Amino acid sequence: MRRSAILPTLCVLAISVGSALGETADIAAGEKVFQQCSGCHQVGADAQHRIGPHLNGLFGRPAASHAGFRYSKSFERAGTNGLEWHADTLDAFLENPRAMASGTRMSFGGLKDDTARINLIAYLRTFSDDPANIPEADPTALAASHDIDPEILALVGDPDYGQYLSGECTTCHQASGGDDGIPSIVYWPEEDFVVVMHAYKNKQRPHPVMQMIAGRLGDEEIAALAAYFAKIED
Amino acid sequence: MTFNRRTFLGTSAAAAVLAAPMVKAAGHGKPRVVVVGGGAGGATAARYVAKDSNGEIDVMLIEPTRTYYTCFFSNLYIGGFKDIGDLGHSYGGLAAGGVNVVHDWAIGVDRDAKTVSLAGGHTVPYDKLILSPGIDFVEGAVEGWDLSAQNAMPHAYKAGSQSELLKAQVMAMPEGGTYAMVAPPNPYRCPPGPYERVSMVAHYLKANNPTAKIIVADPKPKFSKMSLFQEGWGNHYEGMVDWIGEEFGGGAVSVDPGAMTVTIDGEETKVDVCNVIPAMKAGRIAELAGVTDGNWAPVNAADMSTKADADIYVLGDASQQGDMPKSGYSANSQAKVCANAVRGALTGSKVFPAKFSNTCWSLIAANDGVKVGATYEATDEKIAKVDGFISETGETSEVRKATYEESEGWYTGITTDMLG
């Protein structure tokens, strides 16, 4: 009887940890990966804000929450909308920073190698002040890939359809590109538009209205909107 | 990313496109669309038909007022967050965008001749008629109140002079005076509107007349965003608001505009301001056109055409469409679906499947904004809700501030989307 109660728990642990930290995470390798970041970010004893904020105590902290650092508008919005740094959100952000915060000033294209990301996250995790504060339920990494299927990116949007669908956007987002209170969505590179909409659709990027609107748009519809807004004439 | 590098999957998008019959204007030149009512539904429909048809369709908008005052954000004016001028918008942008704006009242529709008669004496022909007349009040809905009493007891539920009057009355309240609201029964324009108004009046009174009281007589057992408003009233205006719902007799109300008294469930109270928001019905022209059934005009969800007449469409508050709340955002959303369908019917342009959405933002106190929203689809029976969200109680002040700032962005967005 006892065994049957324990077994399922062990299985769950094996999946969530085994695929990420337990077997594959290599903190020393993560330190090497961090060299790519260290031009802008410091971590560890005496770490200061540089071009980017210092990364001590990152886990469980809301995005854009260092009072002494000037974040991009885009990152501040992400923080207000509820983005917090955990292994899963860091994983998504490191893989494709623009998907999480379109206007981030972090000029880094993303770390596409899953193992490198897992190692880097494991390394950063050693600098959270008190690892005991990391919630048990906080997954250490996600096995899922956040990058969009190349077939979705390859879709050619129908701008006429996009024009019709855009009516749902222009109730709030001005077709002129005005951005008081609500960001501009015009003249974006189509790929950026598609990546961001899928990040809302997959609920990686927080914001209830956008998750709802993007949530029911199909791949072709997102491509159509991207095509229309990329070349909108107003 | 260029077009060439992508694989064209046009057919899958086109599969969702409905076949559009070509119905050119019968026996005359360009097809003619007449829109009655220049609010969130009508102005948007007129603008989109004109804009997207590139001159292939003659669009006339019939709207009696020269300046459109938005009902949305009019509570913020009462609370002191906006000036009346911020709410007023000209129709000049629509005229410049190719819409023939006629400032007159539509007083009749001849469905056989397909003409609309105007109070100024003209008769205008249409191929497709879009009615977006907003609301009128049900006569006798509140005992003791009629249109002749609207200066003594303003409704302020059609923005403009009524909003200014109500604000002036709130500002003139004696110290420790009483503001009463008679809230409307469902369905009515802007479900959170009365409660945002209570919040805005409370905001003004807290700063200027802190011992004043607010009584709300409500025929409903609950209301939109109720827990959010009640939390906010507790946080910001402790002890100021007395909401009397259905179970405490909030629906048994009469008023005496001469004596300035309100009687709620048999108990008479002398008040200083009485904001009577009566039960509502579709704007009168919908009834005159013969497309209403009861108080509202039933419509088909796919294109907003009326059940009564395929060439007459009803948008926004006046329509009976299903699950969408009566709001400016809803009307704007419905107008775009309708404009696409009307254009397709008249010129053969592609007609895409209907998609609707709505979000209602409300302000409870300075920088304390909340929102509720949903997406909708057209079914054979109605516009049906697909998915939705609502602000949560206990949100941080940063979130509430961001929500308010977002609502300001939306205001600029929708007024531009409506009026150009």
Side-chain angles (χ1 to χ4, degrees):
Chain A
M1 288 306 284
R2 239 192 140 85
R3 276 181 81 97
S4 64
I6 290 167
L7 264 177
T9 321
L10 288 175
C11 288
V12 170
L13 281 175
I15 291 162
S16 62
V17 179
S19 62
L21 276 178
E23 288 164 357
T24 55
D26 179 341
I27 290 171
E31 186 174 2
K32 288 209 181 72
V33 177
F34 185 74
Q35 287 170 4
Q36 297 180 51
C37 320
S38 60
C40 299
H41 292 280
Q42 294 187 347
V43 71
D46 306 324
Q48 303 286 322
H49 297 322
R50 298 280 299 275
I51 295 169
H54 77 71
L55 300 176
N56 290 342
L58 192 57
F59 278 72
R61 206 178 64 207
S65 59
H66 278 302
F69 186 79
R70 268 196 66 196
Y71 294 92
S72 63
K73 217 171 165 180
S74 180
F75 238 112
E76 283 186 352
R77 198 176 275 129
T80 303
N81 288 339
L83 178 63
E84 270 189 15
W85 294 127
H86 298 281
D88 55 347
T89 51
L90 280 170
D91 194 41
F93 177 68
L94 287 168
E95 182 168 16
N96 192 345
R98 286 174 309 171
M100 297 292 268
S102 334
T104 176
R105 287 196 283 262
M106 186 167 101
S107 55
F108 180 67
L111 194 56
K112 303 302 174 194
D113 183 284
D114 292 357
T115 310
R117 279 200 314 280
I118 287 165
N119 291 342
L120 176 60
I121 291 165
Y123 173 69
L124 291 173
R125 197 180 180 201
T126 63
F127 297 99
S128 273
D129 292 345
D130 182 0
N133 288 340
I134 300 169
E136 287 290 321
D138 197 1
T140 48
L142 284 190
S145 177
H146 303 286
D147 254 5
I148 297 184
D149 186 337
E151 280 183 29
I152 291 177
L153 276 182
L155 289 174
V156 175
D158 170 1
D160 286 345
Y161 191 28
Q163 182 178 16
Y164 167 68
L165 293 170
S166 74
E168 196 160 28
C169 315
T170 55
T171 302
C172 299
H173 298 276
Q174 295 170 58
S176 65
D179 68 346
D180 27 343
I182 287 181
S184 167
I185 55 170
V186 304
Y187 305 128
W188 284 31
E190 286 178 59
E191 190 172 318
D192 288 16
F193 194 101
V194 170
V195 163
V196 165
M197 288 299 278
H198 281 276
Y200 282 124
K201 185 177 166 73
N202 301 330
K203 305 205 189 296
Q204 290 162 353
R205 198 172 155 134
H207 192 275
V209 179
M210 285 310 304
Q211 287 184 355
M212 178 183 81
I213 298 285
R216 66 162 179 168
L217 289 172
D219 297 344
E220 284 90 0
E221 292 175 321
I222 289 174
L225 283 167
Y228 173 69
F229 279 117
K231 297 186 175 62
I232 184 173
E233 288 168 30
D234 193 63
Chain B
M1 180 57 53
T2 67
F3 270 41
N4 311 347
R5 282 174 54 205
R6 296 186 173 193
T7 320
F8 186 61
L9 290 188
T11 45
S12 49
V17 174
L18 307 172
M22 190 84 119
V23 186
K24 286 280 188 192
H28 53 82
K30 284 186 198 173
R32 293 181 285 225
V33 170
V34 173
V35 182
V36 176
T44 306
R47 177 164 176 264
Y48 270 71
V49 172
K51 173 171 80 71
D52 294 342
S53 67
N54 296 313
E56 280 184 60
I57 298 175
D58 279 335
V59 182
M60 178 186 287
L61 174 67
I62 299 163
E63 163 58 49
T65 67
R66 263 70 173 174
T67 302
Y68 170 64
Y69 288 94
T70 58
C71 254
F72 41 96
F73 272 33
S74 64
N75 287 327
L76 275 60
Y77 158 72
I78 291 168
F81 293 92
K82 300 287 165 197
D83 293 328
I84 192 72
D86 296 337
L87 307 180
H89 302 269
S90 143
Y91 289 98
L94 282 186
V99 176
N100 181 6
V101 182
V102 174
H103 292 299
D104 205 340
W105 279 97
I107 53 166
V109 175
D110 183 333
R111 279 161 52 181
D112 297 325
K114 296 181 85 169
T115 58
V116 179
S117 51
L118 307 183
H122 291 272
T123 299
V124 295
Y126 67 83
D127 294 302
K128 295 285 189 185
L129 175 61
I130 301 173
L131 302 178
S132 191
I135 50 111
D136 273 320
F137 300 115
V138 174
E139 263 184 76
V142 176
E143 191 187 331
W145 192 93
D146 62 25
L147 218 52
S148 70
Q150 70 166 8
N151 257 32
M153 294 187 169
H155 52 79
Y157 230 65
K158 297 180 183 185
S161 56
Q162 277 277 306
S163 317
E164 292 180 276
L165 179 63
L166 182 63
K167 181 169 184 178
Q169 292 181 355
V170 171
M171 290 172 76
M173 277 171 66
E175 193 182 331
T178 301
Y179 173 104
M181 171 186 281
V182 178
N186 289 320
Y188 62 96
R189 158 180 286 181
C190 189
Y195 312 99
E196 181 185 59
R197 175 168 298 166
V198 165
S199 308
M200 291 293 93
V201 170
H203 172 79
Y204 175 85
L205 293 175
K206 185 183 175 186
N208 297 284
N209 189 352
T211 55
K213 297 281 180 220
I214 298 173
I215 309 171
V216 184
D218 204 325
K220 304 183 291 295
K222 57 189 173 68
F223 56 82
S224 172
K225 300 177 188 164
M226 184 162 172
S227 58
L228 293 166
F229 280 115
Q230 291 188 328
E231 175 195 53
W233 295 344
N235 287 344
H236 303 290
Y237 316 118
E238 180 69 51
M240 188 179 263
V241 182
D242 185 10
W243 179 77
I244 302 164
E246 183 196 35
E247 64 173 314
F248 296 102
V253 176
S254 63
V255 297
D256 182 341
M260 281 306 285
T261 56
V262 184
T263 303
I264 305 169
D265 202 23
E267 189 180 326
E268 187 181 272
T269 308
K270 177 95 174 74
V271 299
D272 301 290
V273 177
C274 189
N275 176 199
V276 176
I277 309 174
M280 298 172 201
K281 61 178 184 177
R284 172 113 170 105
I285 191 67
E287 190 183 334
L288 292 174
V291 295
T292 50
D293 179 8
N295 285 339
W296 310 102
V299 296
N300 298 300
D303 61 358
M304 303 303 291
S305 63
T306 54
K307 303 275 189 192
D309 187 327
D311 290 323
I312 301 182
Y313 302 74
V314 174
L315 303 178
D317 296 348
S319 68
Q320 179 185 308
Q321 34 68 24
D323 295 348
M324 294 184 83
K326 297 185 185 300
S327 74
Y329 194 129
S330 292
N332 170 268
S333 175
Q334 293 159 9
K336 288 179 241 187
V337 169
C338 174
N340 184 254
V342 163
R343 205 160 53 84
L346 293 175
T347 68
S349 65
K350 276 198 232 171
V351 177
F352 297 102
K355 259 181 199 284
F356 305 94
S357 54
N358 176 64
T359 302
C360 289
W361 287 267
S362 303
L363 188 62
I364 298 175
N367 288 320
D368 190 357
V370 292
K371 59 185 170 184
V372 59
T375 54
Y376 305 85
E377 64 185 4
T379 67
D380 289 344
E381 292 81 40
K382 62 173 185 174
I383 296 181
K385 183 175 170 179
V386 177
D387 188 16
F389 68 88
I390 183 164
S391 295
E392 290 164 19
T393 52
E395 285 173 336
T396 65
S397 56
E398 287 78 19
V399 168
R400 293 296 178 86
K401 181 167 184 277
T403 301
Y404 173 58
E405 286 169 358
E406 187 178 274
S407 74
E408 292 205 296
W410 164 77
Y411 185 89
T412 310
I414 191 172
T415 49
T416 308
D417 197 40
M418 290 164 53
L419 297 161

